[in-house]
Amino acid sequence: MLLNINFFSDPLLKSINTALSKNEQVLIFHNRRGTASITLCDNCGWQAGCPRCFIPLTLHADSHKLSCHICGFSTKVPTSCPECKNADIIHKGIGTKRIEDELQRLFPNKKIARFDKDTDLKATVDERYDELKNGEIDIIIGTQVIAKGLDLPHLTVVGVVQADTGLSLPDYSSPERTFQLLAQVVGRVGRSSTPTEVVVQSYQPSHPSITNGLSQNYTEFYQRTISQRQKTNFPPFTYLLKLTCVYKTEAAAIRNAKKLSELLKSNFDNIEVFGPTPAFYERVRDTYRWQIVVKSPKRQELLDVLNFLPSSHWQYELDPVSLL
């Protein structure tokens, strides 16, 4: 059972209706694919998770499957709880597939197309670009694959659902990525003399990433972000090295991560060693991952750190774009 939550605001629905009545094009952006992000039992609280990665499985209603977006594991949607046997299975959260289903219900006579990583290879943006550009598709739905590089002359309304989703990720670059996506998707409209509109739904409407992204104010966002980076000593004011160990057992991952952390601290005076901590995705494909983050004002010192890295079980990323 999908929880009946109306995730389109009245202003967004009004804008969609107005545009469609004029035979104009609408783009709905949401950076999460699937139908629902959480499947659980309403009776006992059991939650469907990947047995290999320990993350929630995502519902894909069109294939009637629950899938792991990390390792690809999939299973049928349960009709009853595997623990208490209760039949009250509910699905929560919003994905592009659920948005597509809702828009098809609201606008059954309009041509709707969804673009994300689940899109068939014969129905990608490249394959259907002429339809998009000529306005043959009334409503476009998608993740970041539709945010950049598209010139759509018939597009007059862009709606962004849960624009602040990425801000909750524990990474110093999360605000920057949120700003980039918003600035890019806003850039899909306003390229012609036709009046255009952008409607953004957010729980944090005053967050600088949201306000600057909407106004495409690169200068203000840069000045604020670069000041924060300097105060917290993150790139470009320092260099980063992310070290990740991969072991079959959690105990081995923790033990070896601690061992390397102590080794680095005792051999280097001018570096900062953070961790070890569980990786953002601690368990992936039946393995456990712990990580260490190293900061240094000199890139060469991070290269020297690699000489202490064991030859097996360890991965490294110099100048990582993300710490997740």
Side-chain angles (χ1 to χ4, degrees):
M1 175 182 66
L2 278 170
L3 292 185
N4 187 22
I5 300 173
N6 187 0
F7 41 84
F8 296 128
S9 64
D10 290 341
L12 178 54
L13 285 174
K14 182 180 178 181
S15 297
I16 294 173
N17 274 296
T18 300
L20 295 178
S21 68
K22 299 177 182 178
N23 293 318
E24 296 170 346
Q25 205 171 43
V26 173
L27 168 62
I28 302 297
F29 174 83
H30 182 47
N31 207 27
R32 176 174 288 170
R33 57 196 171 108
T35 304
S37 54
I38 298 174
T39 294
L40 49 82
C41 174
D42 198 29
N43 181 55
C44 73
W46 166 86
Q47 182 173 313
C50 176
R52 304 174 67 192
C53 302
F54 286 6
I55 67 167
L57 293 174
T58 299
L59 171 67
H60 290 260
D62 50 344
S63 58
H64 201 63
K65 287 183 177 180
L66 297 173
S67 299
C68 174
H69 287 175
I70 301 298
C71 72
F73 169 84
S74 66
T75 184
K76 292 181 179 179
V77 179
T79 55
S80 62
C81 175
E83 292 188 356
C84 73
K85 310 306 177 186
N86 195 284
D88 292 332
I89 301 297
I90 60 176
H91 307 284
K92 301 174 66 177
I94 305 169
T96 49
K97 177 58 184 170
R98 186 174 177 191
I99 290 174
E100 180 185 22
D101 292 341
E102 181 67 7
L103 288 172
Q104 285 178 334
R105 183 184 70 81
L106 293 171
F107 307 102
N109 299 321
K110 296 299 180 180
K111 189 172 183 179
I112 300 173
R114 173 174 52 87
F115 300 96
D116 52 35
K117 286 186 178 180
D118 298 315
T119 303
D120 187 275
L121 291 177
K122 295 180 180 179
T124 61
V125 171
D126 289 341
E127 292 293 327
R128 304 189 67 179
Y129 180 69
D130 288 341
E131 291 178 80
L132 290 167
K133 187 171 184 178
N134 296 334
E136 297 171 35
I137 296 174
D138 300 302
I139 304 177
I140 309 161
I141 305 162
T143 56
Q144 57 187 338
V145 298
I146 60 166
K148 356 177 169 173
L150 292 180
D151 183 14
L152 304 173
H154 298 276
L155 180 65
T156 60
V157 171
V158 169
V160 184
V161 178
Q162 292 184 334
D164 47 27
T165 300
L167 293 175
S168 61
L169 295 175
D171 185 32
Y172 77 97
S173 61
S174 293
E176 181 180 355
R177 285 197 296 273
T178 298
F179 167 81
Q180 287 175 335
L181 280 174
L182 266 182
Q184 287 166 353
V185 76
V186 166
R188 296 311 102 222
V189 295
R191 297 187 173 192
S192 66
S193 58
T194 305
T196 59
E197 187 177 10
V198 177
V199 180
V200 174
Q201 298 180 174
S202 169
Y203 290 107
Q204 303 177 65
S206 61
H207 193 285
S209 294
I210 305 297
T211 57
N212 292 156
L214 273 176
S215 61
Q216 295 183 302
N217 193 332
Y218 292 87
T219 300
E220 185 175 317
F221 182 79
Y222 170 80
Q223 290 173 344
R224 179 183 289 104
T225 303
I226 204 71
S227 175
Q228 291 173 340
R229 296 277 183 92
Q230 187 172 25
K231 290 176 183 176
T232 54
N233 194 30
F234 274 101
F237 300 99
T238 191
Y239 294 98
L240 295 180
L241 174 66
K242 182 171 72 174
L243 306 173
T244 306
C245 67
V246 183
Y247 283 88
K248 280 290 185 182
T249 67
E250 183 179 24
I254 296 173
R255 181 176 65 253
N256 285 281
K258 287 182 176 179
K259 182 179 178 181
L260 180 60
S261 177
E262 293 303 320
L263 183 65
L264 296 180
K265 289 175 182 177
S266 62
N267 281 274
F268 293 89
D269 296 325
N270 298 318
I271 65 171
E272 292 182 84
V273 179
F274 297 89
T277 61
F280 185 70
Y281 295 110
E282 182 181 1
R283 181 165 170 171
V284 178
R285 298 182 180 89
D286 291 322
T287 61
Y288 289 86
R289 297 166 182 244
W290 276 59
Q291 71 180 34
I292 298 168
V293 175
V294 185
K295 286 183 181 180
S296 175
K298 297 180 179 179
R299 201 163 184 269
Q300 182 58 50
E301 289 186 328
L302 298 183
L303 293 172
D304 294 338
V305 165
L306 297 180
N307 295 325
F308 289 79
L309 207 62
S311 58
S312 61
H313 297 286
W314 282 89
Q315 304 166 349
Y316 71 88
E317 189 176 354
L318 189 61
D319 304 322
V321 295
S322 168
L323 295 180
L324 299 182

